[in-house]
Amino acid sequence: MTLTEVSSVEGETGDFKVTLKKRPRYILEDKCTGCGTCVKYCPVEYPDPFNQEISSNKAVHVYFSQAIPLVSYIDDSCLFLKEKKCLICESVCQADAIDFSQKEEKIEVEVGAIILSSGIKPFDPSVKAEYGYGKYPNVVTSMDFERLLSSTGPYSGEVLRASDKKHPRNIAWIQCVGSRRVTEGENSYCSGVCCTYTQKQVILTKDHEPDTTCTIFHNDIRAFGKDFERYFQRTEDLPGVQFIRSYASIAGGKPPRITMCGCATPRPMKASRKKSSTWWCSVLGSIRRPITNSWPRSLAFSLTIMAST
């Protein structure tokens, strides 16, 4: 059930009544053909949150290409919903699928159990000046880079630098951003996924551009899942790939290049040494943090009371 959120929960263990609030799509699912004409003519544009705000979006759109149902919806940025003007989408839709008469629905369902999936969110590296995120256009997060690699991403799968829209031939990854430190604003724990998804990004980058030089700065590699060590070895054996044990930071740079420095210990382990080098793009492997206070206060209170009885 899409465009729906939980409003309240009543009942007891094994017998819950859940009240759902379903917002209107303003598009009739059984009529919409997915032609995209309404998206083409919509005058409202804003940064696309699904593509990490690298590309733009329209007030009417499909949230992402694998969405179910694969039908457009109209969000709150729509000029008609805000100011009662425009209606261009309604006039160009040949299927007559636009319906601004839809209202918010309240739905009640009875369930025997409830699973809370609170989700996670990436650490925001812009709060740490040493990484230069938000200051240097070619410093991106792992989520940004993930969208760049995707065929449904902002550049249709091409890895392009923000500064000049050219292919970076020398990319550095910085691991453990915001984690495994006890300094203020960071976290002492390990997310457990960053090492492996970075290796995946390196493999895909080499698949896109075989001549790209990839350097990964890490605290240490935590390949603890089934066949994860083999996956790491596969990545390390690729030509032009180097893993360096180091806490690295962005020392400066003049676009399109970035200067990084750190105390490096190359593999195999040797004596550490300070080093400063230049890259065309830097990817920050930010940790994943649990989302707190993601549920409505009334719902969280209700579930807490039920759990204690």
Side-chain angles (χ1 to χ4, degrees):
M1 193 176 292
T2 59
L3 299 175
T4 306
E5 62 181 36
V6 177
S7 178
S8 64
V9 176
E10 299 176 351
E12 57 186 13
T13 303
D15 183 19
F16 295 110
K17 180 183 288 185
V18 182
T19 302
L20 306 174
K21 183 169 62 176
K22 183 176 182 178
R23 72 174 299 274
R25 182 180 293 273
Y26 300 114
I27 291 180
L28 301 173
E29 296 180 24
D30 57 342
K31 286 190 175 183
C32 178
T33 62
C35 66
T37 304
C38 56
V39 179
K40 178 181 177 180
Y41 286 98
C42 178
V44 179
E45 285 194 36
Y46 62 92
D48 184 0
F50 186 76
N51 273 333
Q52 297 293 106
E53 301 189 352
I54 300 172
S55 60
S56 60
N57 209 349
K58 297 289 190 77
V60 53
H61 61 278
V62 177
Y63 189 63
F64 61 101
S65 58
Q66 289 84 30
I68 298 176
L70 196 59
V71 176
S72 299
Y73 75 100
I74 299 173
D75 64 26
D76 294 334
S77 66
C78 172
L79 290 177
F80 181 77
L81 296 178
K82 292 168 63 176
E83 305 172 19
K84 298 300 178 183
K85 63 182 183 181
C86 187
L87 290 178
I88 292 177
C89 58
E90 191 175 70
S91 63
V92 300
C93 180
Q94 297 182 2
D96 293 326
I98 309 297
D99 181 12
F100 281 108
S101 66
Q102 292 182 0
K103 304 294 182 182
E104 185 178 278
E105 297 179 52
K106 184 177 287 187
I107 304 170
E108 291 186 351
V109 296
E110 295 183 355
V111 297
I114 297 174
I115 300 175
L116 299 182
S117 301
S118 59
I120 55 176
K121 64 179 180 180
F123 174 80
D124 181 10
S126 64
V127 300
K128 305 293 288 184
E130 64 193 88
Y131 297 119
Y133 184 67
K135 181 179 181 182
Y136 303 109
N138 294 331
V139 176
V140 300
T141 65
S142 55
M143 287 294 290
D144 298 336
F145 199 75
E146 193 72 25
R147 295 311 304 154
L148 292 178
L149 287 169
S150 175
S151 60
T152 61
Y155 306 129
S156 301
E158 284 194 84
V159 179
L160 304 178
R161 295 181 300 196
S163 63
D164 55 10
K165 302 300 184 292
K166 293 184 178 180
H167 296 276
R169 303 298 183 185
N170 192 351
I171 305 176
W173 279 260
I174 301 178
Q175 297 301 98
C176 300
V177 172
S179 71
R180 302 185 66 188
R181 298 189 188 184
V182 293
T183 52
E184 185 176 354
E186 297 185 290
N187 303 273
S188 60
Y189 59 82
C190 168
S191 293
V193 297
C194 310
C195 287
T196 304
Y197 74 59
T198 291
Q199 292 159 31
K200 182 204 73 171
Q201 290 180 348
V202 170
I203 291 173
L204 291 177
T205 299
K206 297 292 287 185
D207 185 59
H208 281 64
E209 299 288 341
D211 295 333
T212 303
T213 300
C214 301
T215 307
I216 302 91
F217 294 93
H218 62 93
N219 188 349
D220 54 40
I221 297 298
R222 294 197 162 182
F224 52 83
K226 184 178 180 180
D227 285 336
F228 281 17
E229 181 66 25
R230 188 181 302 173
Y231 196 70
F232 163 63
Q233 292 296 337
R234 172 188 169 188
T235 309
E236 189 179 36
D237 290 342
L238 290 173
V241 174
Q242 185 180 20
F243 285 81
I244 299 178
R245 189 173 187 181
S246 169
Y247 277 119
S249 60
I250 308 297
K254 184 177 181 181
R257 297 177 183 269
I258 302 162
T259 302
M260 294 171 52
C261 65
C263 187
T265 306
R267 294 176 56 90
M269 301 302 180
K270 298 178 181 178
S272 298
R273 65 183 186 277
K274 289 184 179 180
K275 185 178 181 181
S276 179
S277 300
T278 302
W279 280 267
W280 290 18
C281 179
S282 178
V283 183
L284 306 178
S286 304
I287 67 161
R288 274 44 185 157
R289 308 174 75 174
I291 296 178
T292 56
N293 300 324
S294 59
W295 293 90
R297 183 179 295 272
S298 58
L299 173 60
F301 179 76
S302 300
L303 293 176
T304 302
I305 295 298
M306 293 174 191
S308 62
T309 58

